[in-house]
Structures are given as structure tokens and as C-alpha cells.
Amino acid sequence: MNKIFPPNLLPLHKRNNIAFQYGRGPYLFGADGRRYLDFVSGIAVNSLGHCHPQLVGAIKSQVEKYLLVGNMYRVPEQESLAERLCTSSFANAIFFCNSGAEAIEGAIKMARRTHFCEGNVHKNRIITMEHAFHGRTIGALAATGNPKYMEGFAPNLDGFDQVELSLGAIEAAIGKTTAAILLEPILAEGGLHVVSNELFSGIRDLCDSHDLLLMVDEVQTGIGRSGKLFAYEWTGVKPDIMTLAKGLGGGVPIGAVAVTDRVAQHMQPGTHGSTFSGNSLAIAAGNAVFDVMFAPGFLAAVERVSAHMFARGQSMVSEFPDLFEEVRGRGLLFGFKCRVPNAELVAAALEEGLLCHVAGDNVLRFLPPLIINESHVDEAFVILGKVASQYNVKQ
Ligand code: PLP
């Protein structure tokens, strides 16, 4: 399929020359009359698939009430989503925002302010990981630290010390001015590397012994994507600050920063905010996503389908060892480390009716909606098998 830059849009994305008319569940229907299996979900956003009736219903009924009243008044739906996030996590308080990068910006401010208010004004630097991705705003870019994304935007924001993801490197980077350690439980854009439980608890111990805050970026891994509501739950370790976005609104833009009381008490009126923060439309979507995910058996089904996906993936690696090196990820954040260019496989899959995506380190990534069942996985693997056979023949 040819790729184009549509006129009058900044040429930031080379787009596949296809437009979709509507979606239902895990399927998108193209203007070309074809049905596509959507294993991208807007990059982990459409957690309930397309047009989930509960999500559609909640949005429709909110639209008929009001969209936004502003944070100078009580917003009961906001209070209830915050309570649900807190009771299901380590957190005591939530700040709602509108995107992942914005959540990261808020989290950076909150980490620094905590130390400032505790009298440790010098503790303001944050240790981040190589191959991380935290977003495209100036602060999130500095945390991401990838020179490819930073070119042309100097001066870069100071305050971040990037290290390789190992306990030794992290420990060596800790100094008197270190305030926090920021990491993704699964380095998603960086190639689906799952941080081991040992490493996670080692990092928690370092935070405790050096009085640092542990910040987890769950923008991509959170809200059921890993098979648990939050990926940190796999590790047995609790963070102090967590960022969320993507799947939280099921397609409606929303982000969140979740924090402990230690952090929350220092975010007094005037220290942070955003006009659209916690607007009722986004919150209605977030509450609908939670209604569906809290239904008995929802996350167990994600884990069951994930096990099927990893088993099918492993067979694929055995069948096509020249194309695929290994499977990576957790839950329904799944990928193949490829031996051939990942983008070629993604393009070929699209031709065959399967939407999938690339990730760093030459990984082919599946991010299906969390409502899929085993038959959708089988359908995707039949298509990928066809793509792989044809690729082998072409070479
Ligand atoms: N953090 C992680 C882990 C992400 O994967 C992303 C986006 O891919 C972001 C932050 C930035 O989120 P957004 O694109 O909503 O700003």
C-alpha cells in the first residue's frame, strides 16, 4: 500500500493510503469495502475495541448533560474515577490531564516539589533509562533522552541522567541531587523489554535507601494491557508516582498522575493544573472503561487470551526462524523481535487485512483491544503466517 503525506497537515506521519469508515469491536471497515483486524488499537488506546456499547452509551449520556464545568466546581464523576483508581492501586490521590506526555510533565513536577517541600531543595534530578519513551513535550523529551527525537529542539531541558537499565548503572548514577527514578515496567516503544521483578525490587530498595521517589510510566502498560490493571502489580513492588493515559479513556484523550499521600500533600492550589483536566467527557469514558474492566473475569480473560497469543507466537518463531528471533512482552502487549525489517512485515500484514505496528529494536508489535478472544488471535496468526510464508518465498 502506498504511503502519503496529506496536504495541509504537518508531514509528521507518513500515512498508509487508507481511510476507515467505522469500527466494531476489534475490526475496522475500510472505505475500500474490506474488513481489517485492528491489532494496533490506536497504539494501545482503544482498550475496549471500537464502539463498545457501554463506552458509547456513557459518552452519549454525558454529552447530553455537559462536557466541562471547570475545576473550580465539584465534578462528582471525576471524584468517582479518582476513587476507583486509588482503591485499585497504591495511590492516594489523582491528577487528571489529557495525554501521556502531560502526565509525565506533571509527574516530574510532583517529584521535584516533594523534595523541595521536604526541605531537600537540591534533590531535583531524575534518573531515566536508555531506550525509554515518555513523550514529545520538552520535559518528556528530556526524560526520553533519545537524540533522534531531540534533534533541532535544543537547548534540551536539564535535570535528567540517563543510564542503561541495570542495577549497577542506576546505583552508580545516584548522587546527592537525585530526586527520583523513572521507568516503564515494560519498555514498550523501546522494544517490549519486560523489567524483571528482581531488577524492580532492586530499584525500589535503591529508592528507599537513598530517599528517592520511584516513578513508573504506565502510559502504555496500564489499564489492563499487561493482564493486570497496572503492570507494576506483577513485580511485588509499589511505586510512589504512576503516569497513565492511552487505554484509560478507551479512545477519548485522558491522562492521569497517581501519587501517594507523601507526594499529594505538597501539590497545593496553584502548583499545577490544566484547563481540560478531568473534563466530564473524558471522565465519563474513563468510568465506562473501568465499569467494563471491573466486571468479573475481564482481566482473567486478558491473561487467558495472552497465554494463547504467546503460545501461537512461540510456534511462529519455530516455524519461521529466519524471520522471527523471539517473542516479547506481557499480556496483550506482544511482539516479535524480527530478523527482517519489521516495517516490511507490518506493511505486508496490512495488505492482508491485519493492522499491527512496529516498536524499537526491530520489533513487530501487536496491541489488540483487550476484548478479543482466542479466535481473533488465531485469525491474526493465520494472516501473519501467510505474510511470513510469502516473505520467505520472495527472498
Ligand atoms: N509514556 C509512554 C510509555 C508511552 O508509550 C507514550 C506514548 O507512546 C507516552 C508516554 C506519551 O504519551 P502521549 O503520546 O499520549 O503523549
Side-chain angles (χ1 to χ4, degrees):
M1 191 172 291
N2 62 327
K3 298 219 179 191
I4 60 161
F5 291 112
N8 308 122
L9 288 175
L10 282 185
L12 296 170
H13 306 280
K14 205 173 194 186
R15 293 166 197 257
N16 291 293
N17 196 7
I18 179 170
F20 299 107
Q21 287 186 315
Y22 63 95
R24 287 290 178 276
Y27 295 105
L28 280 166
F29 296 83
D32 57 1
R34 289 182 66 195
R35 188 179 84 162
Y36 294 81
L37 181 58
D38 181 3
F39 268 32
V40 178
S41 309
I43 317 187
V45 168
N46 302 310
S47 41
L48 306 185
H50 298 284
C51 293
H52 190 286
Q54 272 173 268
L55 182 60
V56 171
I59 291 171
K60 274 189 178 167
S61 77
Q62 186 60 50
V63 164
E64 285 168 0
K65 290 192 228 160
Y66 49 75
L67 293 172
L68 181 153
V69 293
N71 288 309
M72 55 295 267
Y73 310 104
R74 285 189 74 167
V75 184
E77 314 81 47
Q78 207 186 89
E79 293 173 25
S80 92
L81 184 56
E83 191 205 333
R84 295 168 103 181
L85 281 164
C86 288
T87 50
S88 54
S89 76
F90 69 93
N92 304 114
I94 306 294
F95 169 72
F96 289 110
C97 54
N98 310 290
S99 69
E102 223 183 291
I104 289 289
E105 296 287 340
I108 293 166
K109 285 178 69 176
M110 292 179 207
R112 289 184 176 163
R113 187 160 171 88
T114 300
H115 289 294
F116 172 87
C117 292
E118 290 177 352
N120 296 313
V121 183
H122 58 285
K123 280 173 96 70
N124 53 31
R125 300 188 69 82
I126 298 176
I127 296 178
T128 61
M129 306 306 139
E130 286 172 5
H131 310 298
F133 186 78
H134 300 296
R136 303 283 195 156
T137 54
I138 289 290
L141 259 189
T144 297
N146 185 333
K148 191 173 94 185
Y149 300 140
M150 296 164 95
E151 190 185 49
F153 304 121
N156 300 326
L157 201 68
D158 189 22
F160 299 89
D161 298 304
Q162 192 161 66
V163 299
E164 153 200 302
L165 179 59
S166 76
L167 205 56
I170 294 170
E171 189 166 16
I174 297 172
K176 283 193 169 45
T177 56
T178 307
I181 299 175
L182 167 64
L183 81 162
E184 298 159 77
I186 304 169
L187 276 87
E189 298 297 319
L192 303 194
H193 296 282
V194 179
V195 179
S196 74
N197 288 359
E198 297 69 43
L199 184 50
F200 231 101
S201 53
I203 293 172
R204 178 74 260 182
D205 290 345
L206 285 177
C207 286
D208 293 341
S209 54
H210 294 271
D211 188 25
L212 313 178
L213 295 162
L214 178 56
M215 306 165 73
V216 293
D217 180 352
E218 294 237 23
V219 165
Q220 191 153 159
T221 54
I223 317 297
R225 176 63 48 192
S226 75
K228 297 209 185 284
L229 200 52
F230 308 109
Y232 79 80
E233 292 176 68
W234 289 101
T235 69
V237 160
K238 288 184 181 162
D240 304 292
I241 299 177
M242 170 171 71
T243 52
L244 298 167
K246 289 192 182 276
L248 179 56
V252 178
I254 181 170
V257 190
V259 299
T260 57
D261 276 333
R262 177 183 172 189
V263 178
Q265 64 183 304
H266 303 302
M267 299 309 291
Q268 299 295 332
T271 53
H272 196 51
S274 159
T275 303
F276 292 110
S277 161
N279 71 81
S280 299
L281 176 66
I283 294 290
N287 272 315
V289 167
F290 266 66
D291 288 343
V292 175
M293 281 196 196
F294 280 173
F298 185 90
L299 289 174
V302 172
E303 278 198 58
R304 198 193 62 233
V305 175
S306 162
H308 185 64
M309 178 117 98
F310 276 79
R312 294 274 332 224
Q314 206 52 61
S315 311
M316 202 71 143
V317 172
S318 309
E319 198 179 341
F320 299 101
D322 297 341
L323 268 67
F324 304 117
E325 195 176 317
E326 61 176 8
V327 294
R328 287 195 189 160
R330 175 167 263 160
L332 291 178
L333 180 52
F334 169 92
F336 290 103
K337 162 81 178 158
C338 299
R339 294 189 198 277
V340 298
N342 54 1
E344 288 183 11
L345 296 172
V346 168
L350 180 59
E351 296 291 348
E352 297 297 333
L354 171 67
L355 273 63
C356 50
H357 197 40
V358 296
D361 199 22
N362 201 29
V363 164
L364 169 75
R365 186 167 34 154
F366 283 175
L367 308 120
L370 307 182
I371 43 91
I372 59 162
N373 60 39
E374 285 85 345
S375 73
H376 300 114
V377 173
D378 292 340
E379 191 181 333
F381 276 89
V382 167
I383 297 175
L384 192 64
K386 187 173 170 196
V387 165
S389 311
Q390 286 170 352
Y391 194 95
N392 268 346
V393 170
K394 267 201 285 174
Q395 298 309 298

